[in-house]
PDB file of all heavy atoms in Angstrom:
ATOM      1  N   CYS K 495      -3.154  15.418  -0.113  1.00 83.00           N
ATOM      2  CA  CYS K 495      -4.048  15.351  -1.331  1.00 83.00           C
ATOM      3  C   CYS K 495      -4.814  13.949  -1.253  1.00 83.00           C
ATOM      4  O   CYS K 495      -5.771  13.809  -2.145  1.00 83.00           O
ATOM      5  CB  CYS K 495      -3.240  15.294  -2.631  1.00 83.00           C
ATOM      6  SG  CYS K 495      -1.962  13.989  -2.682  1.00 83.00           S
ATOM      7  N   LEU K 496      -4.717  13.169  -0.188  1.00 85.00           N
ATOM      8  CA  LEU K 496      -5.448  11.900  -0.123  1.00 85.00           C
ATOM      9  C   LEU K 496      -6.372  12.122   1.027  1.00 85.00           C
ATOM     10  O   LEU K 496      -6.109  12.653   2.178  1.00 85.00           O
ATOM     11  CB  LEU K 496      -4.562  10.760   0.205  1.00 85.00           C
ATOM     12  CG  LEU K 496      -3.582  10.370  -0.962  1.00 85.00           C
ATOM     13  CD1 LEU K 496      -2.597   9.324  -0.441  1.00 85.00           C
ATOM     14  CD2 LEU K 496      -4.456   9.789  -2.124  1.00 85.00           C
ATOM     15  N   SER K 497      -7.620  11.555   0.943  1.00 87.00           N
ATOM     16  CA  SER K 497      -8.589  11.459   2.045  1.00 87.00           C
ATOM     17  C   SER K 497      -8.081  10.418   3.130  1.00 87.00           C
ATOM     18  O   SER K 497      -7.148   9.492   2.673  1.00 87.00           O
ATOM     19  CB  SER K 497      -9.911  11.036   1.520  1.00 87.00           C
ATOM     20  OG  SER K 497      -9.925   9.725   1.171  1.00 87.00           O
ATOM     21  N   VAL K 498      -8.567  10.536   4.253  1.00 91.00           N
ATOM     22  CA  VAL K 498      -8.208   9.502   5.319  1.00 91.00           C
ATOM     23  C   VAL K 498      -8.592   8.153   4.742  1.00 91.00           C
ATOM     24  O   VAL K 498      -7.734   7.189   5.007  1.00 91.00           O
ATOM     25  CB  VAL K 498      -8.963   9.844   6.601  1.00 91.00           C
ATOM     26  CG1 VAL K 498      -8.630   8.691   7.583  1.00 91.00           C
ATOM     27  CG2 VAL K 498      -8.485  11.208   7.121  1.00 91.00           C
ATOM     28  N   ASP K 499      -9.866   7.926   4.122  1.00 87.00           N
ATOM     29  CA  ASP K 499     -10.086   6.637   3.626  1.00 87.00           C
ATOM     30  C   ASP K 499      -9.118   6.079   2.624  1.00 87.00           C
ATOM     31  O   ASP K 499      -8.751   4.859   2.623  1.00 87.00           O
ATOM     32  CB  ASP K 499     -11.524   6.674   2.964  1.00 87.00           C
ATOM     33  CG  ASP K 499     -12.597   6.826   4.007  1.00 87.00           C
ATOM     34  OD1 ASP K 499     -12.365   6.457   5.272  1.00 87.00           O
ATOM     35  OD2 ASP K 499     -13.736   7.247   3.685  1.00 87.00           O
ATOM     36  N   ASP K 500      -8.672   7.111   1.646  1.00 86.00           N
ATOM     37  CA  ASP K 500      -7.746   6.603   0.682  1.00 86.00           C
ATOM     38  C   ASP K 500      -6.324   6.148   1.308  1.00 86.00           C
ATOM     39  O   ASP K 500      -5.724   5.243   0.931  1.00 86.00           O
ATOM     40  CB  ASP K 500      -7.415   7.700  -0.282  1.00 86.00           C
ATOM     41  CG  ASP K 500      -8.604   7.889  -1.375  1.00 86.00           C
ATOM     42  OD1 ASP K 500      -9.426   6.851  -1.474  1.00 86.00           O
ATOM     43  OD2 ASP K 500      -8.656   8.911  -2.048  1.00 86.00           O
ATOM     44  N   LYS K 501      -5.881   6.892   2.382  1.00 89.00           N
ATOM     45  CA  LYS K 501      -4.689   6.639   3.114  1.00 89.00           C
ATOM     46  C   LYS K 501      -4.867   5.222   3.692  1.00 89.00           C
ATOM     47  O   LYS K 501      -3.940   4.448   3.517  1.00 89.00           O
ATOM     48  CB  LYS K 501      -4.468   7.600   4.172  1.00 89.00           C
ATOM     49  CG  LYS K 501      -4.146   9.017   3.628  1.00 89.00           C
ATOM     50  CD  LYS K 501      -3.943  10.003   4.726  1.00 89.00           C
ATOM     51  CE  LYS K 501      -3.709  11.404   4.213  1.00 89.00           C
ATOM     52  NZ  LYS K 501      -3.335  12.396   5.334  1.00 89.00           N
ATOM     53  N   ARG K 502      -5.943   5.034   4.338  1.00 90.00           N
ATOM     54  CA  ARG K 502      -6.155   3.680   4.868  1.00 90.00           C
ATOM     55  C   ARG K 502      -6.136   2.620   4.023  1.00 90.00           C
ATOM     56  O   ARG K 502      -5.563   1.482   4.167  1.00 90.00           O
ATOM     57  CB  ARG K 502      -7.510   3.720   5.826  1.00 90.00           C
ATOM     58  CG  ARG K 502      -7.352   4.345   7.116  1.00 90.00           C
ATOM     59  CD  ARG K 502      -8.594   4.194   7.874  1.00 90.00           C
ATOM     60  NE  ARG K 502      -8.583   5.078   9.016  1.00 90.00           N
ATOM     61  CZ  ARG K 502      -7.795   4.899  10.065  1.00 90.00           C
ATOM     62  NH1 ARG K 502      -7.084   3.914  10.211  1.00 90.00           N
ATOM     63  NH2 ARG K 502      -7.984   5.801  11.086  1.00 90.00           N
ATOM     64  N   THR K 503      -6.847   2.736   2.815  1.00 86.00           N
ATOM     65  CA  THR K 503      -6.927   1.724   1.722  1.00 86.00           C
ATOM     66  C   THR K 503      -5.566   1.386   1.244  1.00 86.00           C
ATOM     67  O   THR K 503      -5.222   0.122   1.133  1.00 86.00           O
ATOM     68  CB  THR K 503      -7.794   2.289   0.584  1.00 86.00           C
ATOM     69  OG1 THR K 503      -9.064   2.556   1.109  1.00 86.00           O
ATOM     70  CG2 THR K 503      -7.814   1.304  -0.508  1.00 86.00           C
ATOM     71  N   ILE K 504      -4.726   2.427   0.970  1.00 87.00           N
ATOM     72  CA  ILE K 504      -3.374   2.126   0.434  1.00 87.00           C
ATOM     73  C   ILE K 504      -2.555   1.389   1.524  1.00 87.00           C
ATOM     74  O   ILE K 504      -1.873   0.510   1.151  1.00 87.00           O
ATOM     75  CB  ILE K 504      -2.698   3.505   0.072  1.00 87.00           C
ATOM     76  CG1 ILE K 504      -3.439   4.118  -1.209  1.00 87.00           C
ATOM     77  CG2 ILE K 504      -1.234   3.270  -0.311  1.00 87.00           C
ATOM     78  CD1 ILE K 504      -3.005   5.548  -1.397  1.00 87.00           C
ATOM     79  N   LEU K 505      -2.495   1.921   2.771  1.00 91.00           N
ATOM     80  CA  LEU K 505      -1.722   1.246   3.740  1.00 91.00           C
ATOM     81  C   LEU K 505      -2.265  -0.145   4.118  1.00 91.00           C
ATOM     82  O   LEU K 505      -1.383  -1.039   4.298  1.00 91.00           O
ATOM     83  CB  LEU K 505      -1.685   2.175   4.977  1.00 91.00           C
ATOM     84  CG  LEU K 505      -0.859   3.460   4.728  1.00 91.00           C
ATOM     85  CD1 LEU K 505      -1.023   4.394   6.006  1.00 91.00           C
ATOM     86  CD2 LEU K 505       0.605   3.291   4.536  1.00 91.00           C
ATOM     87  N   ALA K 506      -3.481  -0.261   4.103  1.00 89.00           N
ATOM     88  CA  ALA K 506      -4.035  -1.714   4.503  1.00 89.00           C
ATOM     89  C   ALA K 506      -3.664  -2.537   3.300  1.00 89.00           C
ATOM     90  O   ALA K 506      -3.285  -3.755   3.598  1.00 89.00           O
ATOM     91  CB  ALA K 506      -5.571  -1.626   4.607  1.00 89.00           C
ATOM     92  N   SER K 507      -3.755  -2.142   2.157  1.00 87.00           N
ATOM     93  CA  SER K 507      -3.368  -3.068   0.900  1.00 87.00           C
ATOM     94  C   SER K 507      -1.840  -3.404   1.034  1.00 87.00           C
ATOM     95  O   SER K 507      -1.477  -4.497   0.816  1.00 87.00           O
ATOM     96  CB  SER K 507      -3.636  -2.319  -0.300  1.00 87.00           C
ATOM     97  OG  SER K 507      -5.077  -2.090  -0.530  1.00 87.00           O
ATOM     98  N   TRP K 508      -1.080  -2.323   1.457  1.00 90.00           N
ATOM     99  CA  TRP K 508       0.414  -2.511   1.534  1.00 90.00           C
ATOM    100  C   TRP K 508       0.672  -3.617   2.634  1.00 90.00           C
ATOM    101  O   TRP K 508       1.773  -4.366   2.511  1.00 90.00           O
ATOM    102  CB  TRP K 508       1.061  -1.201   1.919  1.00 90.00           C
ATOM    103  CG  TRP K 508       2.427  -1.005   1.365  1.00 90.00           C
ATOM    104  CD1 TRP K 508       3.321  -1.848   1.109  1.00 90.00           C
ATOM    105  CD2 TRP K 508       2.919   0.374   1.246  1.00 90.00           C
ATOM    106  NE1 TRP K 508       4.439  -1.279   0.718  1.00 90.00           N
ATOM    107  CE2 TRP K 508       4.330   0.122   0.727  1.00 90.00           C
ATOM    108  CE3 TRP K 508       2.507   1.612   1.267  1.00 90.00           C
ATOM    109  CZ2 TRP K 508       5.095   1.195   0.365  1.00 90.00           C
ATOM    110  CZ3 TRP K 508       3.301   2.691   1.052  1.00 90.00           C
ATOM    111  CH2 TRP K 508       4.571   2.458   0.571  1.00 90.00           C
ATOM    112  N   THR K 509      -0.160  -3.825   3.636  1.00 91.00           N
ATOM    113  CA  THR K 509       0.263  -4.807   4.621  1.00 91.00           C
ATOM    114  C   THR K 509      -0.228  -6.208   4.177  1.00 91.00           C
ATOM    115  O   THR K 509       0.053  -7.164   4.807  1.00 91.00           O
ATOM    116  CB  THR K 509      -0.636  -4.382   5.945  1.00 91.00           C
ATOM    117  OG1 THR K 509      -1.999  -4.597   5.696  1.00 91.00           O
ATOM    118  CG2 THR K 509      -0.291  -3.107   6.548  1.00 91.00           C
ATOM    119  N   SER K 510      -1.037  -6.227   3.091  1.00 89.00           N
ATOM    120  CA  SER K 510      -1.593  -7.541   2.696  1.00 89.00           C
ATOM    121  C   SER K 510      -0.434  -8.508   2.279  1.00 89.00           C
ATOM    122  O   SER K 510       0.582  -8.135   1.745  1.00 89.00           O
ATOM    123  CB  SER K 510      -2.400  -7.315   1.473  1.00 89.00           C
ATOM    124  OG  SER K 510      -2.675  -8.572   0.757  1.00 89.00           O
ATOM    125  N   ASP K 511      -0.622  -9.843   2.614  1.00 90.00           N
ATOM    126  CA  ASP K 511       0.282 -10.857   2.182  1.00 90.00           C
ATOM    127  C   ASP K 511       0.567 -10.920   0.672  1.00 90.00           C
ATOM    128  O   ASP K 511       1.512 -11.489   0.127  1.00 90.00           O
ATOM    129  CB  ASP K 511      -0.151 -12.176   2.678  1.00 90.00           C
ATOM    130  CG  ASP K 511       0.056 -12.424   4.207  1.00 90.00           C
ATOM    131  OD1 ASP K 511       0.778 -11.560   4.755  1.00 90.00           O
ATOM    132  OD2 ASP K 511      -0.519 -13.307   4.750  1.00 90.00           O
ATOM    133  N   PHE K 512      -0.384 -10.444  -0.046  1.00 88.00           N
ATOM    134  CA  PHE K 512      -0.398 -10.339  -1.518  1.00 88.00           C
ATOM    135  C   PHE K 512       0.813  -9.592  -2.022  1.00 88.00           C
ATOM    136  O   PHE K 512       1.467  -9.889  -2.904  1.00 88.00           O
ATOM    137  CB  PHE K 512      -1.652  -9.606  -2.031  1.00 88.00           C
ATOM    138  CG  PHE K 512      -1.660  -9.651  -3.595  1.00 88.00           C
ATOM    139  CD1 PHE K 512      -2.230 -10.737  -4.287  1.00 88.00           C
ATOM    140  CD2 PHE K 512      -1.304  -8.563  -4.346  1.00 88.00           C
ATOM    141  CE1 PHE K 512      -2.177 -10.780  -5.653  1.00 88.00           C
ATOM    142  CE2 PHE K 512      -1.424  -8.459  -5.703  1.00 88.00           C
ATOM    143  CZ  PHE K 512      -1.854  -9.616  -6.276  1.00 88.00           C
ATOM    144  N   TYR K 513       1.343  -8.621  -1.066  1.00 90.00           N
ATOM    145  CA  TYR K 513       2.480  -7.781  -1.537  1.00 90.00           C
ATOM    146  C   TYR K 513       3.691  -8.226  -0.722  1.00 90.00           C
ATOM    147  O   TYR K 513       4.676  -7.440  -0.737  1.00 90.00           O
ATOM    148  CB  TYR K 513       2.177  -6.298  -1.237  1.00 90.00           C
ATOM    149  CG  TYR K 513       1.004  -5.757  -2.195  1.00 90.00           C
ATOM    150  CD1 TYR K 513      -0.211  -5.522  -1.688  1.00 90.00           C
ATOM    151  CD2 TYR K 513       1.305  -5.655  -3.519  1.00 90.00           C
ATOM    152  CE1 TYR K 513      -1.189  -5.113  -2.546  1.00 90.00           C
ATOM    153  CE2 TYR K 513       0.282  -5.314  -4.355  1.00 90.00           C
ATOM    154  CZ  TYR K 513      -0.920  -4.927  -3.819  1.00 90.00           C
ATOM    155  OH  TYR K 513      -1.892  -4.512  -4.643  1.00 90.00           O
ATOM    156  N   ALA K 514       3.665  -9.298  -0.058  1.00 93.00           N
ATOM    157  CA  ALA K 514       4.761  -9.857   0.653  1.00 93.00           C
ATOM    158  C   ALA K 514       5.923 -10.269  -0.247  1.00 93.00           C
ATOM    159  O   ALA K 514       5.582 -10.697  -1.419  1.00 93.00           O
ATOM    160  CB  ALA K 514       4.514 -11.128   1.557  1.00 93.00           C
ATOM    161  N   VAL K 515       7.141 -10.008   0.040  1.00 95.00           N
ATOM    162  CA  VAL K 515       8.291 -10.317  -0.761  1.00 95.00           C
ATOM    163  C   VAL K 515       8.601 -11.844  -0.492  1.00 95.00           C
ATOM    164  O   VAL K 515       8.634 -12.254   0.577  1.00 95.00           O
ATOM    165  CB  VAL K 515       9.431  -9.431  -0.311  1.00 95.00           C
ATOM    166  CG1 VAL K 515      10.706  -9.826  -1.124  1.00 95.00           C
ATOM    167  CG2 VAL K 515       9.191  -7.976  -0.542  1.00 95.00           C
ATOM    168  N   ASP K 516       8.801 -12.459  -1.595  1.00 94.00           N
ATOM    169  CA  ASP K 516       9.018 -13.948  -1.575  1.00 94.00           C
ATOM    170  C   ASP K 516      10.237 -14.242  -0.642  1.00 94.00           C
ATOM    171  O   ASP K 516      11.304 -13.557  -0.705  1.00 94.00           O
ATOM    172  CB  ASP K 516       9.377 -14.534  -2.935  1.00 94.00           C
ATOM    173  CG  ASP K 516       8.138 -14.602  -3.777  1.00 94.00           C
ATOM    174  OD1 ASP K 516       6.956 -14.637  -3.282  1.00 94.00           O
ATOM    175  OD2 ASP K 516       8.308 -14.752  -5.018  1.00 94.00           O
ATOM    176  N   SER K 517      10.062 -15.105   0.232  1.00 95.00           N
ATOM    177  CA  SER K 517      11.081 -15.577   1.181  1.00 95.00           C
ATOM    178  C   SER K 517      11.506 -14.557   2.299  1.00 95.00           C
ATOM    179  O   SER K 517      12.387 -14.727   3.037  1.00 95.00           O
ATOM    180  CB  SER K 517      12.287 -16.075   0.494  1.00 95.00           C
ATOM    181  OG  SER K 517      12.018 -17.133  -0.412  1.00 95.00           O
ATOM    182  N   GLN K 518      10.799 -13.456   2.401  1.00 95.00           N
ATOM    183  CA  GLN K 518      10.997 -12.330   3.230  1.00 95.00           C
ATOM    184  C   GLN K 518       9.651 -11.781   3.796  1.00 95.00           C
ATOM    185  O   GLN K 518       9.318 -10.750   3.493  1.00 95.00           O
ATOM    186  CB  GLN K 518      11.792 -11.278   2.640  1.00 95.00           C
ATOM    187  CG  GLN K 518      13.215 -11.730   2.190  1.00 95.00           C
ATOM    188  CD  GLN K 518      14.020 -10.588   1.610  1.00 95.00           C
ATOM    189  OE1 GLN K 518      14.083  -9.432   2.290  1.00 95.00           O
ATOM    190  NE2 GLN K 518      14.581 -10.835   0.514  1.00 95.00           N
ATOM    191  N   PRO K 519       8.881 -12.622   4.533  1.00 91.00           N
ATOM    192  CA  PRO K 519       7.542 -12.257   4.885  1.00 91.00           C
ATOM    193  C   PRO K 519       7.402 -10.947   5.647  1.00 91.00           C
ATOM    194  O   PRO K 519       6.327 -10.369   5.829  1.00 91.00           O
ATOM    195  CB  PRO K 519       6.988 -13.399   5.617  1.00 91.00           C
ATOM    196  CG  PRO K 519       8.307 -14.083   6.162  1.00 91.00           C
ATOM    197  CD  PRO K 519       9.343 -13.930   5.223  1.00 91.00           C
TER     198      PRO K 519
END
Side-chain angles (χ1 to χ4, degrees):
C495 58
L496 293 172
S497 71
V498 175
D499 289 339
D500 285 345
K501 292 176 185 187
R502 286 188 189 286
T503 298
I504 293 167
L505 292 170
S507 295
W508 213 332
T509 65
S510 169
D511 287 344
F512 185 81
Y513 296 109
V515 175
D516 287 341
S517 302
Q518 297 181 49

